Amino acid sequence: MAKKKTLAPPKGAKKGKNFPLSKDPFFSSESRKRRKIVDDEIESGESDEDNGFVSAEDVEFEEETADEKRKRVASEYLEKIREIARREKEREDKEKDEDESDDEGEKDSLVAQILQQEQLEDSGRVRREIASRVQNPVASDEFQLLVKHRQSVTAVALSEDDSKGFSSSKDGTILRWDVDSGKGEKYQWPSDEALRLHGAKDPQGRATRHSKVTLSLAVSSDGRYLASGGLDRHVHIWDTRTREHIQAFPGHRGPVSCLTFRQGTSELFSGSYDRTVKIWNVEDRAYINTLFGHQSEVLTIDCLRKERLLTVGRDRSMQLWKVPEESRLVFRAPASSLECCCFISNDEFLSGSSDGSIELWTALKKKPVYIVRNAHPSSLSCSNLELKENGAIPNGCMGNGDANHNTSHSSSAYSWVSSVSVCRNSDLAASGAGNGSVRLWALTSDKKDVRPLYDLPLVGFVNSLTFAKSGRFVVAGVGQEPRLGRWGRIPAARNGVAVHPLKLS
């Protein structure tokens, strides 16, 4: 006679005691992912309070579901917009003392107009007119060195609210700093053993240890994650709240030269010297896909809210990737190789090339619709410049002239357009090179041209540029050397992050 089998109690239940079916995970109504998180918390016996990472807000909204969180965030944002509308109404009616209850409907109408305008700007269908409002900088408006690095800055990034900034350098340091005060905090690299636990692979080739030289940075829209990439061929993910390393993504076979987050998501794109673009999901710590198409190193990458990706490579091409359709459009540079690129809108792009020109592109044409020749003309030698006592960076490299550089082949490297940036959803752009200035440009949609505005003096190679979302200031990562090599050197430059305020009428 076969022996009758009995169901064993779940793991962790004591023998000899009845185990209620309600405790059996098979009969639980919770999802497996949610149940696993709860079980891990119980088995570990540790709490966030022990680690010191629990805030009052986390305790308050601990029981909050995803729908409730979305509703709370939307309500907070709506209250913020109503406050803005209220201030606008007060400015218009300074001489009137009206009861707030009488004009509640008018305020809601103003709120609706603001929300509709923001939605159109976010979708790229309406462009903010900021370039015409930028006032001519006076002598007191100069680039101020906000953060110092020991070697050339390779990348700068701003948080969504423009309050925090991040910068990386060739010396391997990553800094987080406050935009107003300039006070910085350094990210500490974990040990090699900790990196392996976080997913990093052993160094390949002649390297015996992980290189900390960082070439690119990107910040997620929610401000939770900072991504960095460099010579160690890994994409590193950091927690911006604790400044701790949380994940390393292997897979690239060359240095990670560029990174970008898709706006409003945790989707991350990385470009590398191995000629590929990889897609990651930072929230799930997962690899998604690899895009092939470039015939040489990928140098710059950019993405907006749509699943469209813009890349530039040393193969003298710029490529627009339509990720869901798994298709791409290839744009060929008319002359020299392209160095940098950025989105103006979903269908318009801006690029800078090694021959010193800036190109305006549209998705409807394979050739530039407008080219600015000699956008950053070769400048005088910057070797004898001295810095001002107040920390401002003087205007020492303006105009054309014969350069006397250390290397015989690097005279043109000072006029390479090494970085371009566009203030989000606006007609204001900026470009940087090594000729001694950052140039502001106005982008006109109807005429499809690029018009120069002002020159902002800045000594050194401008390796990275980014605008504040409001257009109130521009941030530049400057160094004595270019970002990806040593084709030239400006000893008078100070390695660091410089900020220039922009006055809008």
Side-chain angles (χ1 to χ4, degrees):
M1 184 175 179
K3 189 176 179 179
K4 188 177 181 180
K5 293 183 180 180
T6 58
L7 293 175
K11 186 178 179 181
K14 294 183 179 180
K15 295 182 178 179
K17 292 188 176 182
N18 293 330
F19 187 84
L21 293 179
S22 60
K23 299 294 185 181
D24 195 319
F26 178 80
F27 297 96
S28 176
S29 59
E30 294 182 344
S31 64
R32 184 177 299 175
K33 184 176 180 181
R34 171 70 178 170
R35 194 164 61 241
K36 184 178 182 301
I37 295 174
V38 175
D39 292 342
D40 290 343
E41 291 177 354
I42 295 175
E43 290 176 4
S44 64
E46 295 179 357
S47 64
D48 288 341
E49 288 130 353
D50 297 333
N51 296 329
F53 298 135
V54 172
S55 62
E57 185 178 358
D58 294 335
V59 175
E60 182 181 355
F61 303 112
E62 186 176 4
E63 302 294 333
E64 197 175 42
T65 63
D67 292 336
E68 291 173 346
K69 182 178 180 180
R70 282 193 289 267
K71 182 179 178 181
R72 175 175 59 84
V73 172
S75 299
E76 292 175 356
Y77 183 71
L78 186 59
E79 288 298 325
K80 180 180 177 181
I81 296 298
R82 283 177 175 169
E83 178 66 18
I84 295 175
R86 186 183 63 81
R87 292 175 183 173
E88 293 291 335
K89 183 66 177 176
E90 288 178 354
R91 291 195 189 99
E92 294 175 359
D93 303 333
K94 285 184 179 180
E95 299 179 356
K96 299 179 182 179
D97 293 326
E98 299 178 356
D99 189 9
E100 294 184 2
S101 59
D102 295 339
D103 56 358
E104 200 64 36
E106 187 176 352
K107 286 184 179 180
D108 289 341
S109 175
L110 188 56
V111 168
Q113 293 177 10
I114 294 175
L115 290 174
Q116 185 178 11
Q117 182 70 16
E118 286 189 356
Q119 195 276 333
L120 292 173
E121 291 175 356
D122 288 341
S123 62
R125 287 179 285 179
V126 173
R127 185 178 299 177
R128 292 184 295 164
E129 295 183 0
I130 295 182
S132 59
R133 298 168 51 201
V134 177
Q135 299 180 7
N136 191 1
V138 296
S140 59
D141 294 335
E142 295 179 317
F143 270 106
Q144 299 292 330
L145 196 67
L146 188 67
V147 180
K148 297 179 182 179
H149 282 271
R150 287 182 295 175
Q151 295 185 26
S152 296
V153 173
T154 56
V156 292
L158 287 175
S159 60
E160 192 71 16
D161 58 358
D162 298 329
S163 61
K164 298 292 183 182
F166 304 86
S167 58
S168 62
S169 171
K170 286 186 178 182
D171 58 13
T173 59
I174 301 175
L175 296 180
R176 182 184 71 180
W177 33 271
D178 186 80
V179 173
D180 295 329
S181 64
K183 184 179 179 181
E185 297 171 316
K186 184 178 178 181
Y187 279 66
Q188 298 294 336
W189 283 92
S191 63
D192 291 345
E193 181 63 27
L195 284 175
R196 281 192 289 270
L197 292 175
H198 292 172
K201 301 294 184 181
D202 292 331
Q204 301 176 358
R206 297 180 180 178
T208 58
R209 57 183 299 179
H210 286 280
S211 174
K212 297 178 182 178
V213 176
T214 304
L215 301 178
S216 54
L217 289 177
V219 184
S220 60
S221 298
D222 57 5
R224 292 180 56 190
Y225 301 108
L226 173 70
S228 66
L231 297 185
D232 67 346
R233 308 178 181 183
H234 286 73
V235 177
H236 297 278
I237 307 300
W238 307 78
D239 190 333
T240 58
R241 295 167 295 183
T242 60
R243 304 196 314 278
E244 290 187 352
H245 187 278
I246 57 178
Q247 186 68 37
F249 290 135
H252 280 296
R253 296 185 177 182
V256 180
S257 54
C258 48
L259 291 166
T260 185
F261 275 96
R262 181 181 161 210
Q263 290 179 11
T265 70
S266 60
E267 198 171 10
L268 176 67
F269 302 92
S270 61
S272 170
Y273 274 31
D274 63 5
R275 301 177 293 179
T276 66
V277 175
K278 291 187 181 295
I279 309 175
W280 318 86
N281 191 303
V282 176
E283 190 72 34
D284 297 335
R285 315 283 198 270
Y287 160 80
I288 298 179
N289 197 7
T290 300
L291 305 178
F292 299 91
H294 277 287
Q295 303 302 314
S296 188
E297 298 96 332
V298 182
L299 301 180
T300 311
I301 194 169
D302 193 22
C303 184
L304 295 179
R305 193 170 294 273
K306 275 189 175 182
E307 287 189 273
R308 289 189 176 187
L309 198 63
L310 191 67
T311 58
V312 150
R314 282 217 172 102
D315 53 2
R316 299 171 63 179
S317 74
M318 180 173 63
Q319 302 193 15
L320 176 64
W321 308 79
K322 298 180 180 179
V323 179
E325 295 87 348
E326 296 185 354
S327 63
R328 59 192 174 98
L329 297 175
V330 181
F331 305 87
R332 298 292 179 183
S336 301
S337 63
L338 299 173
E339 293 290 321
C340 51
C341 67
C342 66
F343 273 106
I344 301 173
S345 63
N346 291 319
D347 300 316
E348 290 184 318
F349 336 111
L350 194 69
S351 67
S353 62
S354 58
D355 63 354
S357 63
I358 292 176
E359 299 86 14
L360 177 65
W361 308 74
T362 67
L364 302 178
K365 291 186 178 182
K366 294 297 184 69
K367 294 183 179 181
V369 296
Y370 193 84
I371 300 178
V372 180
R373 302 287 183 185
N374 202 22
H376 289 265
S378 300
S379 58
L380 296 172
S381 175
C382 301
S383 57
N384 297 323
L385 294 177
E386 295 182 356
L387 295 168
K388 294 184 178 181
E389 296 180 356
N390 61 357
I393 301 178
N395 176 12
C397 298
M398 293 297 294
N400 296 316
D402 297 328
N404 182 17
H405 304 304
N406 298 331
T407 56
S408 59
H409 64 282
S410 65
S411 59
S412 62
Y414 292 81
S415 61
W416 289 3
V417 181
S418 54
S419 57
V420 291
S421 180
V422 174
C423 185
R424 185 183 296 179
N425 301 323
S426 76
D427 59 349
L428 178 63
S431 63
N435 74 320
S437 67
V438 172
R439 304 198 74 178
L440 298 181
W441 307 88
L443 309 173
T444 57
S445 299
D446 49 351
K447 296 181 180 179
K448 300 294 182 185
D449 65 352
V450 181
R451 180 171 51 86
L453 287 179
Y454 307 109
D455 285 353
L456 310 179
L458 180 60
V459 176
F461 287 96
V462 182
N463 295 323
S464 183
L465 279 172
T466 183
F467 277 99
K469 308 301 182 297
S470 61
R472 296 290 179 179
F473 60 89
V474 59
V475 180
V478 66
Q480 296 179 352
E481 299 173 350
R483 179 173 76 103
L484 301 176
R486 294 183 173 179
W487 302 289
R489 183 172 175 81
I490 304 177
R494 295 182 67 176
N495 302 315
V497 178
V499 178
H500 195 292
L502 299 177
K503 294 182 178 179
L504 304 180
S505 60

